[in-house]
Amino acid sequence: MAEFTGSADIYKELVEDSNENWLYGLVAFAIVEEQRIEWMRHFEECNGRTPDDNDVRNWYKQQPGSVILRAKGTAENALQVYSGEVVDVALDEKRREIEDGIIVAEIRESRKFWPQFGVNFIGGFASAVVFAALLILVAFFVFEDASPTQIGAQLRNNLEEIGNGQN
């Protein structure tokens, strides 16, 4: 088990001599140093003075080897959470870019006046023709009074004429 005498030893263990990513080691180092600062505040509250160099050296010496493992585990969790947040932010930004791109493209397409004018004109003309045809058809039925009783009476007259030999 390695004995630590100061922050330089911890740094060497976590960053310089480590086979892992340097950022991972730096975060773990920061976690160990945060623990040291908390201990220094506690020491000052209990003893009424800040710890001297000898007290700090003794604190490092008293740290078990598992302090490195705990710091690495905490660093790994922190980096995973952070990387998840970074990915979420990147995805949100990309999604916004895509949405803005689609909206801008649609606006550009709608600004092409003459093609849109031609499509709208043809659509309006076709609907006017269909409406006129329906209007003529309705007018024909209304003015010709083609009710079923009228048609039946007309057929009966035609049949009587044929039966009487008038045709």
Side-chain angles (χ1 to χ4, degrees):
M1 179 172 92
E3 184 176 290
F4 306 111
T5 58
S7 62
D9 293 339
I10 300 286
Y11 182 83
K12 186 174 182 183
E13 175 81 19
L14 291 172
V15 180
E16 292 176 352
D17 294 344
S18 178
N19 294 331
E20 286 127 2
N21 187 301
W22 65 271
L23 181 61
Y24 174 63
L26 283 176
V27 173
F29 174 72
I31 290 168
V32 172
E33 288 303 300
E34 182 182 37
Q35 291 171 356
R36 181 185 56 85
I37 291 169
E38 289 175 2
W39 168 80
M40 290 176 71
R41 287 184 184 144
H42 179 72
F43 184 92
E44 185 176 7
E45 287 175 9
C46 293
N47 298 317
R49 67 176 180 86
T50 57
D52 58 18
D53 289 341
N54 194 35
D55 293 328
V56 173
R57 195 173 304 110
N58 286 335
W59 181 81
Y60 278 111
K61 285 182 180 180
Q62 293 172 3
Q63 297 305 307
S66 62
V67 75
I68 299 292
L69 294 175
R70 277 194 308 275
K72 284 183 176 182
T74 305
E76 184 177 358
N77 290 338
L79 288 172
Q80 284 179 349
V81 168
Y82 179 72
S83 66
E85 291 172 357
V86 168
V87 168
D88 289 344
V89 167
L91 287 176
D92 287 343
E93 287 177 7
K94 198 59 163 171
R95 189 176 294 118
R96 239 179 272 118
E97 282 180 28
I98 291 170
E99 289 170 355
D100 291 345
I102 291 171
I103 291 169
V104 167
E106 286 298 320
I107 290 172
R108 284 186 182 144
E109 285 295 318
S110 69
R111 288 189 178 174
K112 294 180 181 176
F113 176 74
W114 289 111
Q116 287 297 321
F117 177 78
V119 168
N120 292 340
F121 180 77
I122 291 171
F125 183 75
S127 63
V129 168
V130 168
F131 179 73
L134 288 175
L135 192 61
I136 290 170
L137 188 64
V138 167
F140 176 75
F141 283 122
V142 168
F143 292 128
E144 289 298 317
D145 189 29
S147 66
T149 56
Q150 181 72 22
I151 293 172
Q154 184 70 27
L155 286 174
R156 188 174 324 145
N157 286 340
N158 288 344
L159 288 175
E160 285 178 4
E161 289 177 5
I162 291 174
N164 292 333
Q166 294 178 353
N167 205 7

